[in-house]
Amino acid sequence: MTGTLQIEVVKADQLTVADRVLWRAMVEANPDLASPYFRWEFTEIASRVSPHAAVAIFSRGGRTIGYFPHQRRGSAIQPLGAPMNDYHGVIAMPGEAPSLATVAALLNAPRLNVSAWVGPSGAGELRETLMTVTPEEGFDAWYAERRQTWGKYFKDKERARRSLETELGSIRVELDLRDPGLLDHLIGLKRAQYARTGRHDIFACGWTRDLLHALMASEHADFGGSMAALWAGDRLTAIEYSLHAGDRYHFWFPAYEPGLARCSPGILLTMDTMRLGCETGFRVFDFGFGGEGYKKYFCNATQTVREAVILRPGVGSMLSDAAVGLLNTAAGGRGERLRTSVRRRWAAIEACETTPANRLMGAVAAAGAAMKKVSGARHAA
């Protein structure tokens, strides 16, 4: 590669037809960009909804080599649609994407936050996302292998299915649901969950809700958002919003009726979604990051990504190091782990909230949660 790397930042609707054709060609040529979040359609829709959205165009010697859709929140730059963006990076041909550190330097922002960067990095913490790649023979072949490997787990889920049917009636699952009222019901369930668990309500800001509705309303033939739902008898017991493109199905926002947890309606919905999805051409089912124990029983593949906060050298990084030292003292050596938790919480708050006042309110809440953890660590010491 010859020539200096150049950058131009534009609005998404300023990209030309040639840009969009090149974008799609890059995604098709680069297997690392298989997630629906890398599709031009996601950027086109999210840029209309997310405040302060833009696209960085990278070029060398007059030739465009990549695109990075992003948004600004105060002094920070984040991937477009964050915290609703589960994969991000530079859209480029294989081997041509600039590194995360180079992107940060060219954008010249005080801070660049990424949680699942795909592509060359040079910074940050390695993480893995989990997925199921079904064989060409389809769902039944995948399930037979999983049941042999994890027999006790899947036998238990078969018993749970029978129990749910005995208690409420026959099970019915539907895919590709696009009812706005049903989506509002799901968002209400998620908001109630966030309130119960003390997490930041990512839907309170409004634009994140609008993003899910806009993706669901997409009329693109090979891209969009939709819901799957499971009824037992006449009772809606589980629902999940997912994003999909090509043969990739990305599980996104699940909710189930807590009172029926013993019957695992959410897991039954996942299995039936995969079964029905395979029948319609989906082969890869993306579960995102680990954490929930059930995922290990489903997943047989991973993708490596990077989580990082790139700061300009100077006061910001020094304050960050000082904060870690303070938290280590307060939490008996647990400061680094605590900082990671607080950083992720703050990243979600900062991405959602578009005004300084709302970001401040969110920061106060995050600080309170951090101090509770510190206090708990002190009592446990």
Side-chain angles (χ1 to χ4, degrees):
M1 291 186 290
T2 59
T4 303
L5 188 62
Q6 303 288 330
I7 186 173
E8 178 186 9
V9 178
V10 301
K11 299 295 184 183
D13 60 9
Q14 293 177 278
L15 292 180
T16 66
V17 172
D19 284 314
R20 300 178 190 195
V21 169
L22 179 58
W23 185 306
R24 291 187 172 106
M26 289 170 168
V27 168
E28 290 178 4
N30 192 339
D32 289 342
L33 307 180
S35 170
Y37 296 96
F38 293 114
R39 288 292 191 100
W40 159 250
E41 293 86 351
F42 180 83
T43 293
E44 180 184 34
I45 293 169
S47 66
R48 297 199 304 260
V49 177
S50 176
H52 312 300
V55 176
I57 305 174
F58 300 98
S59 62
R60 195 189 302 272
R63 182 176 71 90
T64 298
I65 66 163
Y67 303 90
F68 176 49
H70 60 276
Q71 63 193 27
R72 284 186 178 267
R73 297 290 184 266
S75 62
I77 287 181
Q78 306 157 338
L80 178 62
M84 315 279 280
N85 185 325
D86 289 357
Y87 288 95
H88 33 265
V90 175
I91 312 299
M93 291 292 183
E96 291 198 353
S99 71
L100 173 61
T102 299
V103 171
L106 289 173
L107 285 170
N108 195 31
R111 183 158 41 91
L112 173 60
N113 296 351
V114 297
S115 60
W117 182 266
V118 175
S121 174
E125 173 188 345
L126 283 174
R127 302 182 72 190
E128 284 190 337
T129 59
L130 306 176
M131 58 194 70
T132 296
V133 179
T134 57
E136 292 184 4
E137 296 80 3
F139 176 84
D140 290 343
W142 169 82
Y143 188 71
E145 183 276 322
R146 290 283 99 181
R147 199 177 187 281
Q148 182 175 13
T149 304
W150 302 104
K152 183 177 184 299
Y153 178 83
F154 285 102
K155 287 178 183 177
D156 178 69
K157 299 312 164 192
E158 290 167 6
R159 285 193 295 269
R161 182 183 295 271
R162 292 192 295 270
S163 295
L164 187 59
E165 288 184 321
T166 299
E167 182 173 343
L168 296 178
S170 61
I171 289 175
R172 172 172 57 94
V173 170
E174 294 186 16
L175 267 60
D176 201 33
L177 300 171
R178 298 170 188 264
D179 176 10
L182 189 60
L183 176 53
D184 285 336
H185 174 67
L186 172 58
I187 291 172
L189 292 174
K190 296 303 294 185
R191 296 190 68 181
Q193 177 188 341
Y194 299 147
R196 288 195 307 271
T197 58
R199 292 178 58 189
H200 183 69
D201 182 354
I202 64 172
F203 293 113
C205 60
W207 73 262
T208 48
R209 171 193 172 279
D210 294 341
L211 177 59
L212 294 190
H213 276 278
L215 290 167
M216 192 175 69
S218 167
E219 296 181 354
H220 297 287
D222 193 33
F223 172 88
S226 67
M227 293 169 288
L230 183 149
W231 286 266
D234 295 327
R235 192 163 163 186
L236 179 63
T237 63
I239 184 170
E240 181 155 16
Y241 185 102
S242 299
L243 189 66
H244 33 79
D247 68 353
R248 181 75 58 116
Y249 194 99
H250 185 98
F251 292 114
W252 206 359
F253 287 100
Y256 63 89
E257 190 171 325
L260 294 172
R262 66 191 180 283
C263 296
S264 305
I267 291 173
L268 297 180
L269 174 60
T270 296
M271 286 197 288
D272 284 7
T273 298
M274 292 174 62
R275 175 176 57 82
L276 295 172
C278 281
E279 293 176 2
T280 60
F282 294 110
R283 284 202 57 215
V284 180
F285 296 86
D286 197 320
F287 288 75
F289 289 118
E292 297 87 352
Y294 78 92
K295 293 183 181 181
K296 75 175 184 179
Y297 302 108
F298 282 79
C299 298
N300 57 13
T302 63
Q303 182 168 358
T304 300
V305 297
R306 289 267 183 176
E307 178 182 28
V309 179
I310 309 297
L311 297 166
R312 274 185 191 160
V315 175
S317 58
M318 289 190 293
L319 286 176
S320 178
D321 292 340
V324 174
L326 176 63
L327 290 172
N328 268 319
T329 300
R334 297 183 180 88
E336 184 63 34
R337 185 174 65 183
L338 183 58
R339 185 179 73 165
T340 298
S341 173
V342 172
R343 184 185 69 225
R344 289 173 182 167
R345 180 185 290 256
W346 167 245
I349 294 167
E350 186 177 43
C352 292
E353 308 303 339
T354 59
T355 67
N358 286 344
R359 286 195 289 269
L360 177 60
M361 290 172 60
V364 169
M371 290 309 298
K372 286 182 180 179
K373 289 188 177 183
V374 171
S375 177
R378 284 175 172 167
H379 289 307

